[in-house]
C-alpha cells in the first residue's frame, strides 16, 4: 500500500484489534495536534504536486439544490446545496458508474461531525472541486448512522490499508463497489506535509484512465484478503474458551493501561467506554473477596468520578460530551451523542448500586434530565445528537464549543451578588469560578488551541471538593452547594439566549433501544416510576413508529417532521442487527423494571425475527446486515469490537441468555454457545477488545441466580406459561413472596427483604 501524505494521525477513528477498545472517535477535534491525512491505495500512486498550487477560489453555495434535497437524513440535507452532483447510496448511482465506466467517490459522515463540516465547507462547496467530482466520478454521500453496514465495510478497508480511520471517510470504489483508495479528511489543497483533496482527485482520475486494469486486479486482491481476514466462524471448535481465563486476561490488560491519577485507559484522547466500566463492575461482583476484585471496583468508580468532575461533563446543562482531548477529562470534543448518554446513565446507576454514594445517582439523574429536555420527541422517541459547533453570536461562522464556553467577565456579570459569611469579600461568581477553575486568561492550554481561537475561554471542570471550597472561604458545605447550584442555573438560563448547536433529529431504533435501557435501569435502581414511564413511552414509540407489524421487522430510522409529526423515508430503511439487539435489550430491561409482560412478549418476537434475518447457520453468530439489504457490498461482516457502543453480537449473547432464563427455550442457549464459540479466537487473541462479550461468556459459564417475585400469584401469566415450574410456586399469607432459583430449582419462599439479601450474598 502506498501513502500519499505524512504518517496517519494517531487517534483518528476506531482502531480495531489494537490495544484497548476505543470509543469510535468520530472525526477529530480542531485542537488535535496531528491532523495529517492518510490516503491508502491498492495500487502505487504517483507522487508530486505538494505545495505547488494556490488555494482554489471559493464561491457561495449554489441556489439550485442537488438530488440530496429529496432525502430525510439531516446529514445528506446539509450537502443538498453543494455544487456536486451527489447521489444517495443506491442503484441509480451504481448503474450510472457502470454505464459511464467511472469510479465512485464515496463520502461517509454524520450531521454532528466537526471535520465533516470542515470538508464540506472547504471542498464540497468549492466550484472547481465540485466540477471534478461531477464530471470524472459518480459521487455518493452516505449518512453512516443510516447505513452502518456501508460504513463498516469501507471503514474495514480504510483501517486495514492505513493506520487509522474516522469521519469523514473518503473512499474510491470501482463500479462494482470494490474499494481501491481510502482516507479520511482532506484539506482542499496541498500543504507541506499533506496532500490536498483536489490533487488526490486528479491523480485518481489519471490512474483510472491509464492504469485501470492493474487497479481493478489489485482491488479484487485486497477485497479477497479482507474477506478472509474478517471471517468469524466456529470452524472446528466445539466450545467457547474458559471464562475464568478470558476474565483474568481482560482485567490484566485493562489494569496495565489504567491511568492511576485521572482514571480511564489511555493518554489522550480519552473516551468514556462504558463497556469497560460494565466489565469491571461484573469482574468485581465475581471477585469481591480478592485484591483484583477490589482493584476493578476502584478503577471503575474513580474513572466515573473523574469524568463527572471533568469538562467532558456539561456542568451547566448536564449530559456528557463525546470524548476528552486531554488526559485530564478537561477539554472535550463538544458533540453530545444519544448512545453515550444512554450507556453512561446505566454505568452511573450501577456505581450508585455498588457504592451507595449519591454522587453517582445524581450524575445519572442529570444525564436523564438532559435527554428528556434536549433529545426527546414529544411522541416518546429520542433524537440522535447535538453538534459540537455553533455560532458564537447570530450570523457568525460556527465554532466548536461556542455554546459551552465561558469568560470570566460573563460569569462576573451574571453572578455579582456578595456571599454573606465568607472570610473575605466574595461574590457568587468568584465562588463558582474558583470551584470550577475559571481564569481571566482562560483554562484551555495553547496546545489544545493552535489557532488561538479560545483565548480567555473556559471549560467548567471541578477543581476542588465541596469541602475544600467551603473551607477556603469559611462557609458551610451546604451553603456552598446551594450557591453553586444557583449559579449554574443562572448560567443555564443565560446560555439559552446563545445560538444553539445543530440538533440531529433523526431517530435510530438501536440508540432508542439503548435509551429505553437507560431510563428503565435507572428508574428501577432509584425506585423512580417517572423514569420508568419515560422508558415505557420510548418503547411505545418504537412499536408505533419503527415496527412493521406485517413483516415483524424493525425500521432503522424515522425523522422529526414539522408540527411534532414523525416521518419515514420511502422506501423505508430497514433495521440492522444492532437495531434488533439493542431494542431487545431495552425491552428486557423494561420488563424487569415495569413487570409488564407485553414488553417481554415483544422481545421474544423480535428475537425470532433477528434469528431469521441475521443468524449465520454455518459459522455461528450474527451478521451485521441482512443478506438482501447488503447485496452488492463486497463484505458481509460480523462486528467484532466493543467500542463506543457494544458489539451487537456481544449484546446478543446476553439477550439469548436472558431469554433462555425467561422461557427455557433450548434453542437460544444453543445459539449463545455457538456465538461465543465463533468469537473464541478473537476473545483469546484480544479479550480487551470484547469486554462485553467476555461478560456474557462469564454469565454463560456461571450458575446464575434468578430472583422471582410473586406479586399476584397468577398461574396463567405469560411467564408462568413459558416456565411451567413457576406454577408450583405460591405466595405466602397473601404477601409479595420471593424465590431464589438456580437451574429451575428454587429456594423456600421468602417474604422479608433482609432474608432475601442474605440469600443473594451467599
Amino acid at each position: 500500500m502506498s501513502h500519499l501524505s505524512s504518517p496517519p494521525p494517531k487517534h483518528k477513528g476506531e482502531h480495531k484489534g489494537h490495544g484497548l477498545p476505543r470509543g469510535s472517535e468520530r472525526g477529530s477535534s480542531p485542537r488535535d495536534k496531528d491532523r495529517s491525512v492518510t490516503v491508502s491505495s491498492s495500487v502505487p500512486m504517483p507522487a508530486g504536486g505538494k505545495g505547488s498550487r494556490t488555494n482554489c477560489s471559493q464561491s457561495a453555495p449554489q441556489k439550485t439544490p442537488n438530488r440530496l434535497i429529496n432525502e430525510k437524513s439531516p446529514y445528506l440535507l446539509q450537502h443538498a446545496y453543494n455544487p456536486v452532483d451527489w447521489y444517495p447510496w443506491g442503484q441509480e448511482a451504481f448503474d450510472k458508474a457502470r454505464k459511464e465506466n467511472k469510479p465512485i467517490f464515496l463520502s461517509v459522515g454524520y450531521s454532528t461531525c466537526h471535520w465533516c463540516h470542515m470538508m464540506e465547507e472547504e471542498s464540497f462547496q468549492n466550484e472547481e472541486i465540485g466540477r471534478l467530482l461531477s464530471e470524472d466520478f459518480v459521487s455518493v454521500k452516505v449518512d453512516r448512522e443510516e447505513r452502518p453496514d456501508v460504513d463498516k465495510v469501507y471503514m474495514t478497508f480504510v483501517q486495514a490499508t492505513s493506520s487509522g480511520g474516522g469521519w469523514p471517510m473518503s473512499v474510491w470504489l470501482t463500479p462494482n463497489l470494490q474499494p481501491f483508495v481510502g482516507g479520511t479528511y482532506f484539506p482542499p489543497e496541498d500543504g507541506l506535509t499533506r496532500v490536498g483533496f483536489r490533487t488526490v482527485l486528479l491523480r485518481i482520475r489519471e490512474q483510472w484512465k491509464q492504469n485501470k486494469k492493474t487497479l481493478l486486479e489489485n482491488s479484487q486482491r485486497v477485497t479477497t484478503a479482507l474477506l478472509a481476514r474478517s471471517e468469524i466462524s466456529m470452524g472446528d471448535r466445539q466450545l467457547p474458551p474458559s471464562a475464568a481465563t478470558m476474565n483474568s486476561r481482560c482485567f490484566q490488560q485493562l489494569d496495565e493501561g489504567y491511568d492511576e491519577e485521572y482514571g480511564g485507559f489511555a493518554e489522550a484522547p480519552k473516551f468514556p467506554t462504558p463497556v469497560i466500566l460494565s466489565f469491571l463492575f461484573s469482574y468485581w461482583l465475581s471477585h469481591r473477596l480478592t485484591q483484583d476484585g477490589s482493584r476493578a471496583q476502584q478503577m471503575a468508580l474513580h474513572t466515573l468520578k473523574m469524568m463527572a468532575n471533568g469538562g467532558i461533563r456539561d456542568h451547566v446543562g448536564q449530559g456528557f460530551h463525546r470524548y476528552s482531548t486531554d488526559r485530564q477529562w478537561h477539554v472535550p470534543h463538544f458533540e453530545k451523542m444519544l448512545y453515550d448518554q444512554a450507556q453512561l446513565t446505566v454505568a452511573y446507576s450501577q456505581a450508585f448500586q455498588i457504592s451507595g454514594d449519591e454522587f453517582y445517582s445524581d450524575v445519572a439523574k442529570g444525564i436523564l434530565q438532559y435527554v428528556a429536555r434536549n433529545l426527546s420527541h414529544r411522541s416518546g422517541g429520542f433524537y440522535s445528537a447535538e453538534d459540537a459547533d455553533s455560532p458564537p453570536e447570530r450570523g457568525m461562522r460556527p465554532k466548536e464549543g461556542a455554546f459551552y464556553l465561558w469568560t470570566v467577565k460573563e460569569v462576573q456579570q451574571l453572578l455579582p451578588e456578595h456571599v454573606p459569611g465568607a472570610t473575605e469579600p466574595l461574590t457568587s461568581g468568584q465562588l463558582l469560578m474558583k470551584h470550577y477553575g475559571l481564569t481571566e486568561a482562560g483554562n484551555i492550554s495553547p496546545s489544545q488551541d493552535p489557532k488561538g481561537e479560545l483565548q480567555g475561554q473556559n471549560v467548567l471542570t471541578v477543581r476542588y471538593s465541596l469541602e475544600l471550597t467551603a473551607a477556603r472561604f469559611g462557609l458551610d458545605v451546604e451553603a456552598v452547594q446551594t450557591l453553586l447550584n444557583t449559579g449554574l442555573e443562572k448560567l443555564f438560563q443565560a446560555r439559552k439566549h446563545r445560538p444553539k448547536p445543530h440538533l440531529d433529529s433523526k431517530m435510530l431504533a438501536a440508540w432508542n433501544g439503548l435509551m429505553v435501557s437507560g431510563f428503565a435501569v435507572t428508574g428501577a435502581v432509584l425506585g423512580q416510576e417517572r423514569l420508568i414511564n419515560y422508558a415505557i413511552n420510548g418503547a411505545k414509540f418504537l412499536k408505533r413508529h419503527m415496527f412493521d407489524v406485517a413483516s415483524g421487522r424493525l425500521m432503522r430510522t424515522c425523522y422529526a417532521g414539522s408540527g411534532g409529526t414523525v416521518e419515514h423515508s420511502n422506501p423505508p430503511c430497514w433495521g440492522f442487527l444492532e437495531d434488533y439487539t439493542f431494542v431487545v435489550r431495552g425491552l428486557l430491561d423494561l420488563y424487569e423494571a415495569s413487570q409488564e409482560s407485553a414488553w417481554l412478549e415483544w422481545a421474544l418476537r423480535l428475537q425470532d425475527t433477528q434469528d431469521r434475518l441475521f443468524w449465520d447457520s454455518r459459522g455461528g453468530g450474527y451478521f451485521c446486515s441482512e443478506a438482501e439489504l447488503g447485496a452488492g457490498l463486497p463484505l458481509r461482516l460480523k462486528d467484532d469490537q466493543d467500542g463506543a457502543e457494544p458489539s451487537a453480537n456481544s449484546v446478543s449473547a446476553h439477550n439469548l441468555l436472558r431469554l433462555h432464563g425467561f422461557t427455557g427455550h433450548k434453542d437460544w442457549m444453543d445459539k449463545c454457545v455457538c456465538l461465543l464459540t465463533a468469537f473464541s479466537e478473537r476473545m483469546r487473541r484480544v479479550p480487551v477488545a470484547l469486554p462485553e462479550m467476555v461478560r456474557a461468556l462469564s454469565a454463560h459459564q456461571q450458575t446464575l441466580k434468578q430472583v422471582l417475585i410473586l406479586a399476584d400469584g397468577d398461574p396463567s401469566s405469560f411467564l408462568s406459561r413459558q416456565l411451567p415450574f413457576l406454577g408450583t410456586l405460591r405466595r405466602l399469607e397473601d404477601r409479595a413472596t420471593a424465590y431464589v432459583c438456580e437451574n429451575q430449582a428454587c429456594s423456600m419462599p421468602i417474604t422479608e427483604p433482609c432474608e432475601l439479601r442474605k440469600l443473594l450474598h451467599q
Side-chain angles (χ1 to χ4, degrees), residues 4 45-46 53 101-103 105 128-129 131-137 172 180-181 197-212 215:
L4 298 187
M45 302 285 284
R53 301 178 191 276
N101 195 22
K102 289 180 178 177
F105 168 62
E128 183 182 348
I129 288 176
R131 277 194 299 274
L132 273 172
L133 286 170
S134 301
E135 292 172 4
D136 298 305
F137 303 87
W172 285 263
F180 60 90
V181 173
F197 187 56
R198 189 169 67 86
T199 300
V200 173
L201 291 175
L202 291 171
R203 292 183 193 175
I204 292 173
R205 181 181 70 177
E206 195 65 18
Q207 285 287 304
W208 187 257
K209 289 178 179 177
Q210 296 186 358
N211 201 21
K212 184 166 59 178
L215 189 152

Side-chain angles (χ1 to χ4, degrees), residues 336-351:
K336 289 181 175 179
M337 308 302 299
L338 181 67
Y339 60 78
D340 281 326
Q341 317 310 320
Q343 295 176 91
L344 286 171
T345 300
V346 173
Y348 279 99
S349 298
Q350 291 173 333

Side-chain angles (χ1 to χ4, degrees), residues 408-463:
V408 164
K409 182 179 179 182
E410 286 174 313
V411 175
Q412 286 174 331
Q413 288 176 343
L414 289 167
L415 305 173
E417 308 87 359
H418 286 280
V419 176
T423 54
E424 61 186 77
L426 181 71
T427 66
S428 296
Q430 289 169 329
L431 177 71
L432 186 141
M433 290 188 292
K434 182 71 174 178
H435 188 73
Y436 288 103
L438 279 69
T439 68
E440 191 77 45
N443 64 9
I444 299 172
S445 165
S447 66
Q448 294 171 294
D449 180 29
K451 295 182 180 178
E453 296 176 335
L454 304 178
Q455 290 180 5
Q457 300 284 344
N458 292 272
V459 178
L460 269 64
T461 180
V462 175
R463 291 297 172 89

Side-chain angles (χ1 to χ4, degrees), residues 56 129 274 317 721:
C56 300
I129 288 176
R721 296 197 307 273

Side-chain angles (χ1 to χ4, degrees), residues 274-287:
V275 289
I276 289 178
L277 303 172
S278 290
F279 168 82
L280 291 172
F281 284 143
S282 293
Y283 189 85
W284 165 79
L285 195 61
S286 58
H287 298 77

